[in-house]
Amino acid sequence: MANIIIRPELKQFVLSILQFGYEKCDAKHFYGPCKRGIYVLHIVVNGAGMFSVNGKSTAIHKGDLFLVPPKEDVYYHADAEEPYEYYWFAFQGSGVKELLINAGFLKDGVYVQHAADRCETFRDEMSRLMALGQSSARNDLFLVSGFY
């Protein structure tokens, strides 16, 4: 697991990425049930699993984006045969809800989007962002621009 923590003074902006990372999960790896205080977006680059928000479950596969919303009951687990691997972003900010709605999330309870046609692009972009390393003013600007 790779994990990069962003400087805490950036929490005041329209979009502030707090942490991001990469996870290659073991079979049946799970998270939850729990409620988060922030948004976390996952980009599945291989494998499969299940994602649940408030008891509504959706199968997830390579190329899917799944969003953990704040203050909602969530649970997700990796497939036993083909566990997923994903990149993830934890973020918050005054403009995040509007950005997510414009991106097709949240309306009508949408927390998963299928983006298999863009999976390789996401993987390449995330690898580039992970290579930036530790937080600095310059790197944080590149990170936020990459997220948009």
Side-chain angles (χ1 to χ4, degrees), residues 11 18 24 27 50 54 69 82 90 97 102 108-109 116 130 145:
K11 293 180 183 179
L18 307 173
K24 185 172 184 175
M50 187 68 64
N54 297 323
E82 190 182 1
K97 189 171 184 178
N102 289 337
D108 302 320
M130 293 289 292
S145 70

Side-chain angles (χ1 to χ4, degrees), residues 115-127:
D117 59 326
R118 296 175 284 170
C119 186
E120 297 307 315
T121 302
F122 285 136
R123 178 196 297 260
D124 293 346
E125 187 65 17
M126 288 301 302
S127 294

Side-chain angles (χ1 to χ4, degrees), residues 50-117:
M50 187 68 64
F51 175 62
S52 176
V53 178
N54 297 323
K56 182 180 176 185
S57 296
T58 305
I60 52 176
H61 303 90
K62 178 181 178 178
D64 287 346
L65 306 164
F66 68 98
L67 178 69
V68 173
K71 302 175 187 169
E72 304 286 342
D73 292 317
V74 296
Y75 174 81
Y76 46 101
H77 68 270
D79 187 76
E81 301 298 318
E82 190 182 1
Y84 49 44
E85 63 182 282
Y86 54 74
Y87 289 96
W88 57 271
F89 284 97
F91 56 97
Q92 65 182 23
S94 62
V96 166
K97 189 171 184 178
E98 182 180 350
L99 289 169
L100 290 169
I101 289 170
N102 289 337
F105 285 105
L106 303 179
K107 278 185 174 178
D108 302 320
V110 173
Y111 298 102
V112 176
Q113 288 191 21
H114 306 288
D117 59 326

